[in-house]
Amino acid sequence: MNNPAPIQFPDVSMESLGINLGLGIALSALAAWHYSRRARTKVLRRDLGLVLPVIALTTLLVITVVKSSLALSLGLVGALSIVRFRTPIKEPEELAYIFLAIALGLALGADQREAGAMGVGVILAIISFTDLLRSKDRRTEGNLLVTFDWSKEDGTAENLERATDLLGEICREVNVRRVDRG
């Protein structure tokens, strides 16, 4: 009787994996620190900074296991095709750091340590440089939500326009998003 060939697992050097994991921890922690120091969005600053190393190390581990086996890589594609994100990424800078973490994991998982380290260093330097250029041009920005509660007879279009003009004298830009009448 013909026995099928036994399953062959990829040869993974534990020493190489340890070095890659250590380098991945260091570089992804650097990227997370960089994100938390310079991120303009206040909502996900801490959360995304904590998740970036997890993304990088998970990608590293997956690529390390899958890189030498076609069957495992096809199984991974099938398994990951059912996963999707339910929370959309709202800021481009968040997406850039997520892609950086994934790229770092890919590079280290493929034993491209120099490329991963150099790539992270260069990309973070470019982000910092563009921040310096932008900070020279930066004005104080922010959003202010103003609510007017008028009686029915005071809530006219003329009074709204007067209020908008008054705000325009002290603000660079006034944007009326919504007017509710009840």
Side-chain angles (χ1 to χ4, degrees), residues 49-129:
L50 294 174
V51 170
L52 287 175
V54 175
I55 292 171
L57 295 176
T58 303
T59 306
L60 182 154
L61 187 59
V62 167
I63 296 304
T64 300
V65 171
V66 168
K67 70 182 175 186
S68 63
S69 172
L70 179 62
L72 286 175
S73 63
L74 291 176
L76 177 69
V77 169
L80 292 180
S81 67
I82 63 170
V83 176
R84 66 185 185 118
F85 291 122
R86 295 190 176 267
T87 305
I89 295 168
K90 294 179 175 66
E91 295 293 328
E93 68 180 343
E94 295 170 12
L95 192 59
Y97 280 95
I98 290 171
F99 279 146
L100 179 62
I102 292 171
L104 174 62
L106 287 170
L108 294 176
D111 287 327
Q112 300 294 319
R113 295 181 192 116
E114 296 84 8
M118 186 180 295
V120 167
V122 168
I123 290 169
L124 293 180
I126 289 171
I127 292 171
S128 297
F129 180 71

